[in-house]
Amino acid sequence: MDDVDDLDEWLARLPKRSPREQLAELEAARRADAAARLPEPTTIPMPDFPYMPGHPLAGMVRFSCPLGCGWHHDENPGRDEAAEPLVVPLDPELWEAALVARAEARAEAFRARV
């Protein structure tokens, strides 16, 4: 390749995509976006912290019914952390997959409880 001192000159030499190619690329991106998994809708309300520091239940969070029906669920945020130890594979390339699987399992258990 020739030595090009000017970046604009070098970019001008690059092959240009036709409008048809650009449109096809845009349509492919739209199809991929439409096929992407939508986030799971949630009905979990924002938590409250009903217990003051010093109370035996301090640290608990309360999820009240978003419709105001009186229902609530008290949750200890650290409860499931001590339930089972994290097992990490020896292969460092598998660490991320193990951590993601653990986080997804904990999130699913949390949603099931609340």
Side-chain angles (χ1 to χ4, degrees), residues 9 12 23 29 35 37 44 50 60 66-67 74 77 79 87 96 100:
E9 180 184 334
L23 183 60
R37 188 175 70 163
I44 297 176
M60 297 286 279
L67 302 175
D74 286 348
R79 181 177 110 180
V87 178
E96 182 178 356
V100 167

Side-chain angles (χ1 to χ4, degrees), residues 20-110:
R20 182 174 294 193
E21 291 171 326
Q22 292 176 4
L23 183 60
E25 186 177 304
L26 181 62
E27 287 299 320
R30 285 184 183 155
R31 282 192 301 276
D33 186 45
R37 188 175 70 163
L38 294 175
E40 180 179 318
T42 181
T43 58
I44 297 176
M46 291 298 295
D48 297 318
F49 300 91
Y51 304 107
M52 300 299 288
H55 189 280
L57 296 176
M60 297 286 279
V61 293
R62 176 169 289 170
F63 297 91
S64 299
C65 176
L67 302 175
C69 68
W71 166 90
H72 72 271
H73 170 73
D74 286 348
E75 178 79 18
N76 183 348
R79 181 177 110 180
D80 63 340
E81 291 179 10
E84 61 182 79
L86 174 62
V87 178
V88 179
L90 294 176
D91 185 2
E93 294 179 1
L94 300 177
W95 289 355
E96 182 178 356
L99 291 173
V100 167
R102 171 67 179 258
E104 288 175 350
R106 288 181 62 201
E108 182 60 35
F110 172 77

